[in-house]
Amino acid sequence: MRYNKKELRLRVDFNNMMSKSVGHEGFSERQIASYVEEVEAAFAAVTAGRGKGMMGWTELPYNQDDVVEDILATAKQIRKNFEYFVVLGIGGSALGPIAAFQAICHLHYNDLPKRKRKGPKFYVEDNVDPERMQALFDVIDVEKTMFNVITKSGSTSETMTQYLIINDILKKKLGDKAKDHIIATTSANSGNLIKIAQKEGYKTFFIPDGVGGRFSELCPVGLLPAAVVNIDIKGLLQGARYMDEQCSNPNVKKNPALLAALMQYMAMKRGKNISVMMPYADGLKFVADWYAQLWAESLGKNKNLDGTACNKGQTPVKSLGVTDQHSQVQLYAEGPFDKVITFIGVDNYRAEVKIPDGCEDFPNVNFLCGHTMSELITAERKATEYALTKAGKLNHTIMLPVLNEFTLGELLMFFMLKTAYAGALMGIDTFNQPGVEEGKNATYALLGRPGYDEKRAELANAPQKLNKYII
């Protein structure tokens, strides 16, 4: 599909981050200019790191032509032969596929008749709650299901637990044909899953070595599930490439991701340690969830690059307009000055519903008549933006001309680049996650994984809970 880049260009409005709009809480042109050396260093660091180490994700919009063709051919066969497609994964292996599915597909996709869906019903199992797993078996027929197991290491406890359960059921029902119901997305060079896949004969797709989970949506982790439900993955990559090109400019005023990162960095230095993501479109609800992992796991660190101690980061909060105007905005408007709110708006919604005439005797209801729902949701976004600005609360707005594959690709790449620039400005390792590893290691020890005897002993010697504090 051909996309008009100029018509689909994402816009970022920073007016309400400036002192001219929000008073002393905002920033001046002079203050922004004072960070020129730090900005230049951050841009240079990200540019120098492209395609190296754990920054392989920067090249995904450019280097996957053959992989994309394989994915498209595989997805076509899945649509032809299976009625259900289930992703087994957690973290980025689940949040990315969920976000893309919700953003592009019909909001009640699984409830549509097959002739309208034109693809299998889609599920993502991203937890190990036993009730959830059992509930899945109540709505699918495993003999008509393709399972996509996604884990780079093949040692992710949650995903491999799901795999063990599914593989056991499939083998009992289908014997040797069980292998035709599992696709593995994993590392090509290391880990357990690639070894299992080779032994069992599974179709495999590979996660590039330099791509971490939270940066993996634009590789087979996200592209295969997207293609299965008829999302235009080439358009997704085209949008990401277009955003990447815009963000190749070292001038902070012409690089939207770099300016967004600087604004958040300046806000953090003032103690604004909460980042609220508030899209005004149900299709973008789970983009906020995806962003929460990206921002939290990348920036929440206790060591600087030079090894000195720190406790840095900005807590992401997911919100949904208009829904959470009725649950969270009271806090944002009148609570502490510790947040930066990011609105995401859409110029043109993909459907329109006119509000009909009625309730003529009730003027405070009848005023809605003749308007449309898109007018209402847009007015609510603008009104909330105004109210927060009037209260002196920092906010900015990302506008999508329309929500489609191209603009979603732009948006995902914008956030990934923004995160990379922010981490460089903060002087931390944006791409590791040692805090997550501690919890993983403790889990392994508690469940008796070999090689974790020392951690098991450490847990056994941890301070015991006192009954007097349990009531």
Side-chain angles (χ1 to χ4, degrees):
M1 182 175 176
R2 295 180 64 86
Y3 297 91
N4 187 315
K5 294 180 180 180
K6 291 185 178 180
E7 289 184 0
L8 293 176
R9 181 169 179 167
L10 174 156
R11 312 183 308 279
V12 190
D13 181 353
F14 294 104
N15 274 282
N16 297 335
M17 300 289 286
M18 305 300 291
S19 55
K20 289 182 179 180
S21 296
V22 290
H24 69 276
E25 292 292 327
F27 309 119
S28 67
E29 292 275 0
R30 180 177 295 179
Q31 287 170 329
I32 292 172
S34 70
Y35 285 90
V36 62
E37 291 185 4
E38 289 177 73
V39 168
E40 288 176 351
F43 179 82
V46 172
T47 301
R50 289 184 65 97
K52 302 174 185 176
M54 291 308 296
M55 286 191 65
W57 55 272
T58 59
E59 306 312 300
L60 294 176
Y62 306 96
N63 64 6
Q64 297 188 98
D65 290 349
D66 292 342
V67 175
V68 165
E69 293 306 320
D70 190 3
I71 287 172
L72 291 173
T74 302
K76 183 177 180 179
Q77 290 302 309
I78 292 170
R79 289 195 297 272
K80 180 180 178 181
N81 296 313
F82 295 91
E83 294 185 15
Y84 309 92
F85 185 84
V86 178
V87 170
L88 305 178
I90 200 163
S93 300
L95 290 169
I98 293 170
F101 172 70
Q102 178 82 2
I104 304 301
C105 293
H106 190 286
L107 292 176
H108 293 287
Y109 173 91
N110 281 351
D111 297 324
L112 292 173
K114 188 174 182 179
R115 61 182 174 81
K116 289 189 176 181
R117 267 189 288 114
K118 298 180 180 179
K121 291 189 176 182
F122 182 80
Y123 301 93
V124 179
E125 294 300 299
D126 66 342
N127 208 344
V128 288
D129 183 332
E131 294 184 27
R132 177 170 180 162
M133 179 59 76
Q134 188 58 56
L136 176 68
F137 297 139
D138 290 337
V139 296
I140 68 168
D141 179 346
V142 294
E143 297 184 45
K144 299 177 181 179
T145 303
M146 176 62 79
F147 296 92
N148 184 197
V149 186
I150 308 175
T151 165
K152 192 172 185 179
S153 67
S155 61
T156 307
S157 296
E158 300 85 356
T159 305
M160 296 312 291
T161 292
Q162 296 168 340
Y163 163 76
L164 288 166
I165 293 167
I166 295 299
N167 187 51
D168 181 64
I169 292 172
L170 286 172
K171 285 193 170 182
K172 287 177 178 176
K173 286 181 174 288
L174 300 172
D176 292 341
K177 293 183 179 180
K179 66 181 179 61
D180 300 325
H181 291 251
I182 295 177
I183 293 175
T185 304
T186 188
S187 171
N189 306 308
S190 62
N192 296 322
L193 186 53
I194 184 58
K195 297 172 185 176
I196 294 170
Q198 290 170 344
K199 178 183 177 182
E200 298 289 342
Y202 300 148
K203 170 71 176 177
T204 55
F205 287 99
F206 300 124
I207 306 170
D209 290 340
V211 178
R214 57 191 181 273
F215 291 89
S216 66
E217 174 56 18
L218 298 178
C219 80
V221 167
L223 297 183
L224 175 61
V228 168
V229 292
N230 283 297
I231 292 173
D232 177 13
I233 61 174
K234 290 184 178 180
L236 200 65
L237 292 169
Q238 287 173 33
R241 183 162 59 245
Y242 183 52
M243 176 54 65
D244 188 53
E245 290 167 356
Q246 292 178 61
C247 296
S248 65
N249 195 321
N251 185 338
V252 70
K253 293 184 179 180
K254 295 182 179 181
N255 183 328
L258 185 59
L259 182 55
L262 174 61
M263 293 284 196
Q264 291 283 18
Y265 175 63
M266 293 171 69
M268 281 185 256
K269 289 176 75 70
R270 293 188 183 181
K272 300 187 189 305
N273 292 320
I274 298 174
S275 171
V276 179
M277 184 59 58
M278 195 168 188
Y280 274 72
D282 275 39
L284 293 171
K285 178 178 181 179
F286 290 103
V287 167
D289 289 61
W290 171 84
Y291 168 83
Q293 183 202 9
L294 178 71
W295 200 245
E297 207 165 73
S298 297
L299 303 186
K301 301 292 161 63
N302 68 359
K303 286 185 179 180
N304 293 310
L305 285 172
D306 62 8
T308 57
C310 69
N311 289 101
K312 292 180 178 179
Q314 189 182 48
T315 301
V317 173
K318 51 192 180 184
S319 187
L320 178 67
V322 169
T323 301
D324 287 315
Q325 287 179 203
H326 297 268
S327 67
Q328 297 179 28
V329 167
Q330 171 63 33
L331 172 66
Y332 303 162
E334 296 190 359
F337 289 81
D338 59 355
K339 303 171 189 69
V340 179
I341 294 92
T342 303
F343 297 109
I344 309 179
V346 179
D347 290 325
N348 298 290
Y349 290 85
R350 293 169 295 191
E352 188 55 280
V353 178
K354 186 175 180 180
I355 304 170
D357 292 333
C359 296
E360 290 83 358
D361 296 335
F362 300 89
N364 57 350
V365 176
N366 183 255
F367 79 96
L368 296 166
C369 300
H371 292 288
T372 64
M373 292 188 77
S374 64
E375 286 181 289
L376 177 59
I377 195 170
T378 298
E380 298 237 33
R381 174 181 56 77
K382 290 180 177 179
T384 304
E385 176 187 328
Y386 171 77
L388 294 181
T389 302
K390 184 177 179 180
K393 303 301 173 69
L394 291 182
N395 66 88
H396 60 286
T397 301
I398 301 169
M399 290 300 302
L400 306 183
V402 67
L403 178 53
N404 62 20
E405 288 91 337
F406 188 91
T407 58
L408 179 63
E410 286 185 276
L411 187 64
L412 298 181
M413 198 66 179
F414 168 80
F415 284 136
M416 289 189 286
L417 288 167
K418 172 188 171 185
T419 302
Y421 289 136
L425 285 164
M426 293 166 66
I428 54 152
D429 185 338
T430 313
F431 306 106
N432 68 356
Q433 52 191 55
V436 177
E437 297 306 317
E438 176 65 22
K440 285 183 179 181
N441 292 338
T443 300
Y444 298 152
L446 288 169
L447 293 178
R449 178 174 169 177
Y452 287 80
D453 294 342
E454 186 175 334
K455 180 61 67 175
R456 200 154 34 248
E458 178 187 324
L459 289 165
N461 292 321
Q464 298 298 304
K465 292 185 177 181
L466 301 177
N467 288 331
K468 68 178 182 179
Y469 296 129
I470 304 172
I471 59 173

